[in-house]
Amino acid sequence: IWEAEHARERLATATAMVEAGEEAGDRAWVLQGRNWRVLDLMELGRVREAEAEIEAYEAGAEDLALPHYRWYAPLWRGTLAQMAGRWDDAERCCDEALALGRRAGDPNADLFVTTLRVQVEVERGRLEAIDADWVRRGAAGSPAGSAWEAWLAAIEAARGGTGEARAIVARLAERDFAAVALDANWHAAMDLAEALVALGDRERA
């Protein structure tokens, strides 16, 4: 049920996870459910509810005192700050999330924080500040390589690298773009649409 049209079903499932964890007295399970609720609420645009869920998650993570859980709250707050155009807040949250994540030894911290930092620069229009090679390495090494490629195409097209962007689009088009709309990486279709618009291909966008 990763596809975008199942967001409400995912939210209901995550809510059931929280309720089951609370009934069982399993605080770590409650946090897992809240984790998914935050993401689903963001996806549905229910920002105030997501903010409240982040606060509840953070309180539970502090109470549980396991470092692995704590860095997600500043990461999510940085995401919301980026969405609202509060760039300084987003950077501050990135710094906090990265420090906590590294202290916990969680390799996802570097990946997720760098992803957010790159997207902040995209949204600010500071395309020259983006480390495109980092995105290329993601495309080469990730099981979700096509999602990274779509993101890279959007970045390169926006900053004038139309040759590379067109080559990426051509590769992804070989199977009618089927690879960019799968499960958790449905957002790649949005990046691909941005790339196509920047390349002047509005019909396919």
Short mmCIF file of all heavy atoms in Angstrom, two decimals, residues 153-160 162 165-166 192-202 205:
data_model
loop_
_atom_site.label_atom_id
_atom_site.label_comp_id
_atom_site.label_asym_id
_atom_site.label_seq_id
_atom_site.Cartn_x
_atom_site.Cartn_y
_atom_site.Cartn_z
N ALA A 153 17.69 14.30 -12.86
CA ALA A 153 17.23 14.93 -14.11
C ALA A 153 16.58 16.28 -13.83
O ALA A 153 16.82 17.25 -14.56
CB ALA A 153 16.25 14.00 -14.83
N ALA A 154 15.77 16.34 -12.78
CA ALA A 154 15.11 17.61 -12.44
C ALA A 154 16.14 18.66 -12.05
O ALA A 154 16.05 19.83 -12.46
CB ALA A 154 14.11 17.38 -11.31
N ILE A 155 17.12 18.27 -11.24
CA ILE A 155 18.15 19.21 -10.81
C ILE A 155 18.97 19.71 -11.99
O ILE A 155 19.20 20.91 -12.17
CB ILE A 155 19.07 18.54 -9.75
CG1 ILE A 155 18.29 18.30 -8.45
CG2 ILE A 155 20.31 19.39 -9.49
CD1 ILE A 155 19.01 17.42 -7.45
N GLU A 156 19.44 18.76 -12.82
CA GLU A 156 20.29 19.14 -13.95
C GLU A 156 19.52 19.99 -14.96
O GLU A 156 20.06 20.96 -15.50
CB GLU A 156 20.85 17.88 -14.61
CG GLU A 156 21.97 17.24 -13.82
CD GLU A 156 23.13 18.19 -13.61
OE1 GLU A 156 23.66 18.76 -14.59
OE2 GLU A 156 23.49 18.39 -12.43
N ALA A 157 18.27 19.63 -15.24
CA ALA A 157 17.48 20.42 -16.18
C ALA A 157 17.28 21.84 -15.67
O ALA A 157 17.37 22.81 -16.44
CB ALA A 157 16.13 19.75 -16.43
N ALA A 158 17.06 21.97 -14.36
CA ALA A 158 16.83 23.30 -13.78
C ALA A 158 18.07 24.16 -13.84
O ALA A 158 17.97 25.39 -13.99
CB ALA A 158 16.36 23.15 -12.33
N ARG A 159 19.23 23.55 -13.74
CA ARG A 159 20.44 24.37 -13.75
C ARG A 159 21.16 24.36 -15.10
O ARG A 159 22.33 24.73 -15.20
CB ARG A 159 21.38 23.97 -12.63
CG ARG A 159 22.00 22.61 -12.68
CD ARG A 159 22.85 22.43 -11.43
NE ARG A 159 23.68 21.24 -11.44
CZ ARG A 159 24.55 20.94 -10.49
NH1 ARG A 159 24.68 21.75 -9.46
NH2 ARG A 159 25.28 19.87 -10.56
N GLY A 160 20.45 23.94 -16.13
CA GLY A 160 20.98 24.09 -17.48
C GLY A 160 21.73 22.90 -18.01
O GLY A 160 22.23 22.94 -19.15
N THR A 162 21.09 20.32 -19.65
CA THR A 162 20.02 19.67 -20.40
C THR A 162 20.47 18.38 -21.08
O THR A 162 19.67 17.47 -21.27
CB THR A 162 19.43 20.62 -21.45
OG1 THR A 162 20.49 21.10 -22.28
CG2 THR A 162 18.74 21.80 -20.78
N ALA A 165 20.24 15.68 -18.48
CA ALA A 165 18.83 15.50 -18.14
C ALA A 165 18.09 14.76 -19.25
O ALA A 165 17.29 13.84 -18.98
CB ALA A 165 18.17 16.86 -17.89
N ARG A 166 18.36 15.11 -20.51
CA ARG A 166 17.69 14.43 -21.62
C ARG A 166 18.11 12.96 -21.70
O ARG A 166 17.28 12.09 -22.00
CB ARG A 166 18.01 15.14 -22.93
CG ARG A 166 17.35 16.49 -23.09
CD ARG A 166 17.57 17.07 -24.47
NE ARG A 166 17.15 18.46 -24.52
CZ ARG A 166 15.88 18.87 -24.63
NH1 ARG A 166 14.92 17.96 -24.69
NH2 ARG A 166 15.59 20.15 -24.64
N LEU A 192 10.33 13.80 -12.18
CA LEU A 192 10.41 13.59 -13.61
C LEU A 192 9.56 14.63 -14.35
O LEU A 192 9.97 15.17 -15.38
CB LEU A 192 9.94 12.18 -13.96
CG LEU A 192 10.01 11.80 -15.43
CD1 LEU A 192 11.43 11.90 -15.96
CD2 LEU A 192 9.48 10.38 -15.62
N ALA A 193 8.38 14.92 -13.82
CA ALA A 193 7.53 15.94 -14.44
C ALA A 193 8.22 17.30 -14.46
O ALA A 193 8.17 18.03 -15.46
CB ALA A 193 6.19 16.02 -13.71
N GLU A 194 8.89 17.64 -13.35
CA GLU A 194 9.62 18.91 -13.30
C GLU A 194 10.73 18.94 -14.35
O GLU A 194 10.96 19.96 -15.02
CB GLU A 194 10.22 19.11 -11.90
CG GLU A 194 9.18 19.22 -10.82
CD GLU A 194 9.29 20.51 -10.03
OE1 GLU A 194 10.15 21.35 -10.37
OE2 GLU A 194 8.52 20.68 -9.09
N ALA A 195 11.45 17.81 -14.48
CA ALA A 195 12.51 17.74 -15.48
C ALA A 195 11.94 17.93 -16.88
O ALA A 195 12.50 18.68 -17.70
CB ALA A 195 13.24 16.41 -15.38
N LEU A 196 10.84 17.26 -17.17
CA LEU A 196 10.24 17.34 -18.49
C LEU A 196 9.76 18.76 -18.81
O LEU A 196 9.93 19.25 -19.94
CB LEU A 196 9.08 16.35 -18.60
CG LEU A 196 9.50 14.87 -18.67
CD1 LEU A 196 8.32 13.96 -18.40
CD2 LEU A 196 10.12 14.56 -20.03
N VAL A 197 9.20 19.44 -17.83
CA VAL A 197 8.78 20.83 -18.05
C VAL A 197 9.98 21.70 -18.36
O VAL A 197 9.97 22.52 -19.29
CB VAL A 197 8.01 21.36 -16.83
CG1 VAL A 197 7.83 22.88 -16.92
CG2 VAL A 197 6.65 20.70 -16.72
N ALA A 198 11.05 21.54 -17.57
CA ALA A 198 12.25 22.34 -17.79
C ALA A 198 12.86 22.07 -19.16
O ALA A 198 13.49 22.95 -19.75
CB ALA A 198 13.28 22.04 -16.69
N LEU A 199 12.66 20.83 -19.67
CA LEU A 199 13.17 20.48 -20.99
C LEU A 199 12.20 20.85 -22.11
O LEU A 199 12.48 20.60 -23.28
CB LEU A 199 13.46 18.98 -21.04
CG LEU A 199 14.60 18.49 -20.14
CD1 LEU A 199 14.63 16.97 -20.11
CD2 LEU A 199 15.95 19.05 -20.59
N GLY A 200 11.07 21.42 -21.76
CA GLY A 200 10.10 21.85 -22.77
C GLY A 200 9.17 20.76 -23.24
O GLY A 200 8.47 20.94 -24.25
N ASP A 201 9.13 19.65 -22.55
CA ASP A 201 8.29 18.51 -22.96
C ASP A 201 7.04 18.48 -22.09
O ASP A 201 6.86 17.60 -21.24
CB ASP A 201 9.10 17.21 -22.83
CG ASP A 201 8.41 16.03 -23.49
OD1 ASP A 201 7.21 16.14 -23.81
OD2 ASP A 201 9.08 14.98 -23.65
N ARG A 202 6.15 19.42 -22.31
CA ARG A 202 5.00 19.58 -21.43
C ARG A 202 3.98 18.44 -21.59
O ARG A 202 3.31 18.08 -20.62
CB ARG A 202 4.33 20.93 -21.66
CG ARG A 202 5.18 22.08 -21.18
CD ARG A 202 4.55 23.43 -21.49
NE ARG A 202 5.39 24.47 -20.88
CZ ARG A 202 5.22 24.94 -19.65
NH1 ARG A 202 4.27 24.45 -18.90
NH2 ARG A 202 6.00 25.88 -19.19
N ALA A 205 5.13 15.63 -19.51
CA ALA A 205 5.09 16.06 -18.12
C ALA A 205 3.68 15.95 -17.57
O ALA A 205 3.48 15.48 -16.44
CB ALA A 205 5.58 17.51 -17.99
#
